[in-house]
Amino acid sequence: MEERLFTRITASAAIFLILICNVTSTATAQAVDVTRVISSPKFKAAQAFIDKDHDRFVQEIIQLTEIPAPPFKEQMRGRAYLEMLRQHGLTNVEMDAEGNVMGIRKGLGTGPLVAIAAHLDTVFPEGTNVKVKRMGTMLSAPGVGDDSRGLAVLLAMLRAMDNAKIQTASDILFVGDVGEEGPGDLRGMKYLFQTGPYKDKIKMFVSLDPAGPGNDITNGAVGSRRYRATFKGPGGHSYGAFGIVNPAFALGNAISKFAKITVPFTPRTTFNVGLIGGGTSVNSIPYEAWMEVDLRSESSDELKKLEDAFIRIMREAADDENSVRSTAQGRIEVETKLIGDRPSGAISITAPIVQTAAAVMKALGMTPVYSNSSTDANIPISMGIPAITLDSGGRGGRPHALDEWIDVEKTASAKGTSIALGILLSLAGMIP
Amino acid sequence: MEERLFTRITASAAIFLILICNVTSTATAQAVDVTRVISSPKFKAAQAFIDKDHDRFVQEIIQLTEIPAPPFKEQMRGRAYLEMLRQHGLTNVEMDAEGNVMGIRKGLGTGPLVAIAAHLDTVFPEGTNVKVKRMGTMLSAPGVGDDSRGLAVLLAMLRAMDNAKIQTASDILFVGDVGEEGPGDLRGMKYLFQTGPYKDKIKMFVSLDPAGPGNDITNGAVGSRRYRATFKGPGGHSYGAFGIVNPAFALGNAISKFAKITVPFTPRTTFNVGLIGGGTSVNSIPYEAWMEVDLRSESSDELKKLEDAFIRIMREAADDENSVRSTAQGRIEVETKLIGDRPSGAISITAPIVQTAAAVMKALGMTPVYSNSSTDANIPISMGIPAITLDSGGRGGRPHALDEWIDVEKTASAKGTSIALGILLSLAGMIP
């Protein structure tokens, strides 16, 4: 996932909102469909199969996690996943020009195209040890839950549907997408929805990301702005040129000021220095020092305030360095370059796609929670296409950290997969 | 060069010191030898040849500069230089286990072994564009003066000696050495003097580094201590885990405080942040952020004070971060690791090697200046072996910067090479 689920309102509050909005008819209509799906013998057969299939599901999480997939280098995992989609009997299996891999599970052709996705990429750079450590039902490895588990759930759903001989009205597009994390800037989704062969064709979208019990519905897309700030100076010899401006000092000062910014807790607003670098050797004054920062807010006004403060601090840090050290060899210049821009937006909790998801969760004994987040769904949401992100079952923690973990305990895992399948079949119009 | 020449006392002050020390007899004895060398027809023939050979000298500076030689990756330049030494008729041509390349110009075997060196390595990382740009007599490229010019001067001296049929009492060891810069930590010299085949055999040492008119004698070795400071934390998601401690924030605060340290101008004391790095992606809180710093002083007391302040600031920065953000996922820990330790020391300006160098400079119309610096000579100086570093002729500037330059104007270049040759032949006992 690009961002952790955080701001939640409970299902009861959501229902209250539905009532005061007088849009219960849609919600009810969806709920009926859902009951028909969940209570059907075919769905129960699929659920039973998910249980039996559990060991293979776990084995595939491990297999996918252990194929490195750094940002912009998802090809190896993509090719492996493409082959897995092919082996699961999909048609039109392909890798698009951006690197997304996908295939169609044909329906009767009487419903709108539904897409379901998990992302191939991780945040971890080349060379990261991606070997999965296992202890009982716990798996630990970089990317294991974000989003290898989601990829494996898609395969588990396909096997369950086939085993239970389930047909749908809609075609369903299964996607392993690229560029969800960080510098990828949702390039996989942008290509899928705005350029590739399925442009204008996908009418509903669900993504699975990351691990979680299966009761989270991300219907709000948190916007983000990302910058690379680079301080440049003349550089020189650490001893001979001592006293001239140093870009690393300017950067340090910039980070120190930036870290002191205060942001509101609500609307949730955050900032991060995620990457830093610069210099050529310990005994040279660097000619360049840089950082990459992530600015986010649920509120576009707060995001703009944060962004303005960030840019002002960068300029101040350059000015400070130019005023306290010698500029005889040259001045510190700072460049702030926008490297990421994710659109914000929201799907109403009264919208059919959200109501369907909530109804399936309730039918399977879960209490839905609603979130704002930055996920693959940001792109369709920003385009007005009904889209949500769901968690992929079980438990998990420490995403984006080297000690990321998930719990693949069977009951909670199977429940998560069943919920995702129930939602998908409800959206795609399962044939009784 | 590892460090720019800086603290200088004039030759007249040096002579005053000699007089008050009552050690003029040694100085005079050397001066006589020097006159005999400089005024000899063979030396004049060598000087005339250096003039004629100028274009080849310039061509070899360019050739050597354009072979990348990052720290610890000097092999390609080393192999090329080894071949050049072999083609110049040296014996015992070899690359030692550390990567130094060297060969002997045999003397009559009646004098102590003299070594002369220039360093192969640059400060610039792999991938740096090392193509030499030329405009008139100006050459610009990373490493062109520090120390490609020194390497080329060694070859020019060899050709001049051969052409003028010069013999010496001593064998002379010509060395292209590794690890002079930054992280190399003088590993080439340490191996040459403390482990390799010439251990305990070299009785005098001269290094050429960097460009300069030929009147600088580095007889004082400036000590340095270098550290890698690493801030480690739990890491996590930039949005979901916002509010936990961030190693990049701790590092920024550390740099900001470190940059405010005040150091005395005399004894000259300097500090630098030369390299920084950390993080895995823009949307992850880093689990690690680090910097490499260079601390130097002409005074070991001042160096110790600076080092203590640095270590204290690193600890404070970790404590600050742990106090202003959440440590629920883990605390910031800081590690300060010593990565470089160059010994200090000095050869008295009354010592024969220094007096010989000064006398040659004066005989060739230059006024010597004396410097403290950190060069290859630090190692023999710290071991009590007579050693100096000389500049390699001409003019130059911006060492360790991408726009490093030298002037290869013929008169000043030939003068620099002649001075170095005059000093070498005086030390090695030229046969009349």
Side-chain angles (χ1 to χ4, degrees):
Chain A
M1 68 175 170
E2 225 287 321
E3 139 188 322
R4 195 79 183 270
L5 310 168
F6 213 90
T7 313
R8 298 182 162 183
I9 55 175
T10 63
S12 58
I15 287 164
F16 173 73
L17 284 169
I18 294 164
L19 292 172
I20 61 169
C21 294
N22 287 317
V23 288
T24 46
S25 58
T26 311
T28 309
Q30 290 292 336
V32 170
D33 280 342
V34 160
T35 307
R36 186 177 55 74
V37 169
I38 301 302
S39 59
S40 69
K42 282 187 181 171
F43 185 74
K44 291 190 191 302
Q47 281 184 291
F49 181 81
I50 288 166
D51 250 44
K52 278 205 315 205
D53 192 44
H54 182 69
D55 288 347
R56 177 165 176 187
F57 165 66
V58 173
Q59 186 270 321
E60 285 176 344
I61 294 173
I62 295 171
Q63 179 186 346
L64 287 161
T65 303
E66 293 185 348
I67 306 170
F72 299 100
K73 292 183 178 161
E74 304 99 332
Q75 293 88 337
M76 211 197 317
R77 187 179 288 181
R79 279 195 294 269
Y81 198 63
L82 183 81
E83 199 43 51
M84 292 163 105
L85 292 177
R86 200 191 307 279
Q87 285 167 10
H88 281 73
L90 298 188
T91 63
N92 302 81
V93 174
E94 63 179 310
M95 179 181 286
D96 70 19
E98 194 67 40
N100 299 310
V101 296
M102 63 196 91
I104 291 277
R105 186 174 195 275
K106 291 296 284 179
L108 301 187
T110 55
L113 180 61
V114 177
I116 186 162
H119 65 87
L120 295 163
D121 57 314
T122 73
V123 296
F124 300 95
E126 271 186 302
T128 302
N129 181 356
V130 290
K131 183 84 189 157
V132 176
K133 290 192 278 279
R134 182 165 190 169
M135 188 178 292
T137 61
M138 303 294 278
L139 304 183
S140 176
V144 67
D146 182 10
D147 193 19
S148 295
R149 185 176 190 134
L151 291 166
V153 169
L154 261 56
L155 301 176
M157 288 199 292
L158 279 167
R159 290 193 295 274
M161 288 162 77
D162 288 351
N163 193 272
K165 300 189 172 25
I166 289 173
Q167 281 188 301
T168 53
S170 296
D171 291 352
I172 306 174
L173 181 67
F174 284 77
V175 186
D177 59 277
V178 296
E180 196 271 345
E181 298 286 3
D185 208 29
L186 302 180
R187 65 189 179 93
M189 286 297 110
K190 286 173 182 168
Y191 190 84
L192 184 72
F193 282 95
Q194 295 164 0
T195 306
Y198 293 99
K199 179 189 173 198
D200 299 331
K201 294 188 177 146
I202 301 167
K203 302 301 179 195
M204 281 180 276
F205 176 81
V206 175
S207 75
L208 296 183
D209 181 22
N215 66 334
D216 190 282
I217 303 171
T218 297
N219 62 316
V222 172
S224 69
R225 302 272 284 177
R226 284 160 182 179
Y227 280 92
R228 184 178 174 109
T230 306
F231 292 87
K232 292 182 182 178
H237 198 288
S238 65
Y239 187 72
F242 177 72
I244 70 165
V245 289
N246 183 328
F249 292 166
L251 178 73
N253 186 25
I255 293 173
S256 168
K257 289 185 174 199
F258 180 52
K260 293 189 181 79
I261 285 185
T262 55
V263 287
F265 188 77
T266 311
R268 185 166 173 80
T269 304
T270 69
F271 57 89
N272 183 52
V273 172
L275 283 166
I276 55 171
T280 52
S281 78
V282 66
N283 59 327
S284 304
I285 298 167
Y287 46 84
E288 192 174 294
W290 56 267
M291 65 173 158
E292 290 188 6
V293 307
D294 178 45
L295 313 173
R296 306 199 196 192
S297 182
E298 290 171 5
S299 148
S300 57
D301 283 355
E302 287 296 336
L303 186 57
K304 182 72 172 60
K305 267 203 270 182
L306 179 59
E307 190 176 359
D308 290 347
F310 165 72
I311 288 169
R312 179 177 47 72
I313 286 171
M314 296 306 108
R315 288 204 199 106
E316 282 174 7
D319 291 346
D320 285 356
E321 184 65 11
N322 286 325
S323 71
V324 298
R325 263 171 277 272
S326 166
T327 56
Q329 299 282 338
R331 297 172 61 79
I332 297 288
E333 304 288 346
V334 62
E335 177 191 273
T336 49
K337 186 179 168 199
L338 187 70
I339 56 168
D341 186 10
R342 293 173 186 242
S344 55
I347 297 294
S348 164
I349 51 174
T350 65
I353 190 169
V354 179
Q355 285 299 308
T356 299
V360 170
M361 289 172 184
K362 282 185 270 185
L364 292 172
M366 301 291 259
T367 304
V369 292
Y370 301 87
S371 304
N372 294 304
S373 187
S374 169
T375 70
D376 271 341
N378 274 43
I379 295 300
I381 288 175
S382 74
M383 297 168 70
I385 299 168
I388 53 174
T389 295
L390 305 171
D391 44 12
S392 60
R395 296 189 309 138
R398 307 276 303 137
H400 295 200
L402 291 175
D403 56 347
E404 182 176 347
W405 61 269
I406 59 171
D407 187 346
V408 293
E409 185 277 322
K410 188 168 163 177
T411 307
S413 296
K415 170 72 76 88
T417 304
S418 293
I419 290 172
L421 181 61
I423 293 168
L424 180 66
L425 295 178
S426 299
L427 296 175
M430 188 179 100
I431 309 300
Chain B
M1 71 178 166
E2 224 288 321
E3 137 189 322
R4 195 76 183 271
L5 309 170
F6 212 89
T7 313
R8 297 181 161 183
I9 55 173
T10 63
S12 56
I15 286 165
F16 173 73
L17 285 171
I18 294 164
L19 291 172
I20 61 169
C21 293
N22 287 318
V23 288
T24 45
S25 58
T26 311
T28 308
Q30 291 292 336
V32 170
D33 280 342
V34 160
T35 307
R36 187 178 55 74
V37 168
I38 301 303
S39 59
S40 69
K42 283 186 178 170
F43 186 74
K44 289 190 191 302
Q47 280 184 291
F49 182 82
I50 288 167
D51 248 46
K52 278 204 315 204
D53 192 46
H54 182 69
D55 289 348
R56 178 165 175 189
F57 166 67
V58 174
Q59 186 271 320
E60 286 176 345
I61 294 173
I62 295 171
Q63 180 187 345
L64 287 161
T65 303
E66 293 185 347
I67 305 169
F72 299 99
K73 291 182 179 163
E74 303 99 333
Q75 294 88 338
M76 211 197 317
R77 188 179 286 181
R79 280 195 293 270
Y81 199 63
L82 183 79
E83 200 42 53
M84 292 163 105
L85 293 177
R86 200 191 307 281
Q87 285 168 10
H88 280 73
L90 298 187
T91 63
N92 303 81
V93 174
E94 63 180 308
M95 179 181 284
D96 70 20
E98 194 67 41
N100 299 311
V101 297
M102 63 195 92
I104 292 277
R105 188 176 193 273
K106 291 296 284 180
L108 301 187
T110 55
L113 181 61
V114 178
I116 186 161
H119 64 87
L120 295 163
D121 57 313
T122 73
V123 296
F124 301 96
E126 271 186 302
T128 301
N129 181 357
V130 290
K131 182 85 188 154
V132 176
K133 291 193 279 280
R134 182 166 190 169
M135 188 178 291
T137 61
M138 304 293 280
L139 304 183
S140 176
V144 66
D146 181 10
D147 192 21
S148 294
R149 186 177 191 134
L151 292 166
V153 169
L154 261 55
L155 301 176
M157 289 199 293
L158 279 167
R159 290 193 294 274
M161 289 162 76
D162 288 351
N163 193 272
K165 301 191 172 22
I166 289 174
Q167 281 187 300
T168 54
S170 296
D171 291 353
I172 307 174
L173 181 67
F174 284 78
V175 186
D177 59 277
V178 296
E180 196 271 347
E181 298 286 4
D185 208 27
L186 302 181
R187 67 190 178 93
M189 286 296 111
K190 286 172 182 168
Y191 190 84
L192 184 70
F193 282 96
Q194 295 164 0
T195 305
Y198 294 99
K199 180 188 171 198
D200 300 331
K201 293 187 179 148
I202 301 167
K203 302 303 178 193
M204 282 180 275
F205 176 80
V206 175
S207 76
L208 295 183
D209 181 24
N215 66 333
D216 189 282
I217 303 170
T218 298
N219 62 316
V222 171
S224 69
R225 302 273 284 178
R226 284 160 181 177
Y227 281 92
R228 184 177 175 110
T230 306
F231 293 86
K232 293 182 181 178
H237 199 286
S238 64
Y239 187 74
F242 177 71
I244 70 166
V245 288
N246 182 328
F249 292 166
L251 179 73
N253 185 25
I255 293 173
S256 168
K257 289 185 176 199
F258 180 51
K260 293 189 182 77
I261 285 185
T262 53
V263 288
F265 187 76
T266 310
R268 185 166 173 82
T269 304
T270 69
F271 57 88
N272 184 52
V273 172
L275 283 166
I276 56 172
T280 53
S281 78
V282 65
N283 59 326
S284 303
I285 297 167
Y287 45 84
E288 193 175 295
W290 57 267
M291 64 172 158
E292 289 188 6
V293 306
D294 178 44
L295 313 174
R296 305 199 198 191
S297 182
E298 291 171 2
S299 148
S300 57
D301 284 355
E302 287 296 336
L303 185 58
K304 182 72 172 59
K305 267 202 271 184
L306 179 59
E307 191 176 358
D308 289 348
F310 165 73
I311 288 168
R312 178 177 45 73
I313 286 170
M314 296 307 106
R315 289 205 199 106
E316 282 174 7
D319 291 347
D320 284 358
E321 184 65 12
N322 285 326
S323 71
V324 299
R325 264 171 277 271
S326 166
T327 56
Q329 298 283 338
R331 297 172 61 79
I332 296 288
E333 304 289 345
V334 62
E335 176 191 274
T336 49
K337 186 179 168 199
L338 187 69
I339 56 168
D341 187 10
R342 291 172 187 243
S344 55
I347 298 294
S348 163
I349 51 175
T350 65
I353 191 169
V354 179
Q355 284 300 307
T356 300
V360 170
M361 288 171 184
K362 282 185 271 183
L364 292 172
M366 301 291 260
T367 305
V369 293
Y370 301 87
S371 302
N372 294 304
S373 186
S374 169
T375 70
D376 271 341
N378 275 44
I379 295 301
I381 289 175
S382 75
M383 296 168 71
I385 299 168
I388 52 174
T389 294
L390 305 171
D391 44 13
S392 60
R395 296 189 308 138
R398 309 276 302 135
H400 296 200
L402 290 175
D403 56 348
E404 181 177 348
W405 61 269
I406 59 171
D407 187 346
V408 293
E409 186 277 322
K410 187 169 162 178
T411 306
S413 295
K415 171 72 76 90
T417 304
S418 293
I419 289 172
L421 181 61
I423 293 167
L424 180 64
L425 294 178
S426 299
L427 296 175
M430 188 178 100
I431 308 300

